Amino acid sequence: TGGPPLAPSAGYCLQSIGGSEFNVAFAAASLGVRASWVSVLPDGALGDQVVECARTAGIDVSAVQRRTGDIGCVHVVGHGISARPHYQRLSSAFCTRVDASTFAWGGLLGGVRWVHLTGITPLLGEGPRAAWEAAVRAAKEAGAMVAFDLNHRPALGTLQDLWRIVG
């Protein structure tokens, strides 16, 4: 939501819900395609807001888990050509509470034709990487195609780091 600046030197604040995997599910649901989104969100109002946004868009969120923690977010710092993203996600409920056993991928991917994954998740830490790898294995076992969006974030690791994981 937009609002007046908090101080004369502050800019407007716009809140938006998204993320690569969420955005793909949102787009698919908007086109009338059955879409599910799997994640870990924090307990409380911010997690509730994300779940409600997804449900309103027609995204199945039955596999979203709620845990203690923060919500990952990005702030755009600066203006014009000097604007740059500042991510706050390493203390998120997802990054701190997910591992290879968090999701029952075999059951979640039964009958699914496509799974969309990004190159961000495996660089977020050992737990997210293990969950990502479990999803890839389960997709292969289920015969689902994996759509992979490299979506490389240099602040999380080098391209070589990412290729060692996804290769």
Side-chain angles (χ1 to χ4, degrees):
T1 59
L6 301 174
S9 63
Y12 284 92
C13 178
L14 173 66
Q15 180 178 320
S16 179
I17 295 171
S20 182
E21 295 90 341
F22 183 94
N23 294 346
V24 169
F26 190 95
S30 296
L31 294 171
V33 175
R34 184 174 62 96
S36 300
W37 179 58
V38 178
S39 192
V40 174
L41 291 172
D43 294 325
L46 293 176
D48 293 346
Q49 191 173 25
V50 175
V51 168
E52 183 57 30
C53 177
R55 281 188 181 132
T56 300
I59 300 168
D60 174 8
V61 291
S62 61
V64 171
Q65 296 187 25
R66 305 297 294 276
R67 306 281 172 86
T68 59
D70 295 325
I71 196 159
C73 61
V74 61
H75 302 275
V76 178
V77 180
H79 300 282
I81 61 170
S82 67
R84 64 195 182 288
H86 173 76
Y87 294 96
Q88 292 181 294
R89 56 179 154 216
L90 296 180
S91 65
S92 70
F94 180 84
C95 286
T96 61
R97 305 281 187 230
V98 72
D99 62 31
S101 65
T102 303
F103 306 107
W105 290 113
L108 292 172
L109 300 183
V112 170
R113 294 187 316 172
W114 286 93
V115 176
H116 175 74
L117 300 170
T118 74
I120 294 171
T121 304
L123 291 177
L124 292 174
E126 289 182 31
R129 179 174 32 256
W132 185 91
E133 290 170 341
V136 170
R137 283 191 304 276
K140 182 177 181 179
E141 291 168 8
M145 299 292 293
V146 174
F148 179 68
D149 180 358
L150 183 65
N151 213 344
H152 178 246
R153 298 292 190 258
L156 295 175
T158 67
L159 273 173
Q160 292 76 17
D161 295 335
L162 182 56
W163 283 122
R164 275 192 291 277
I165 297 166
V166 303

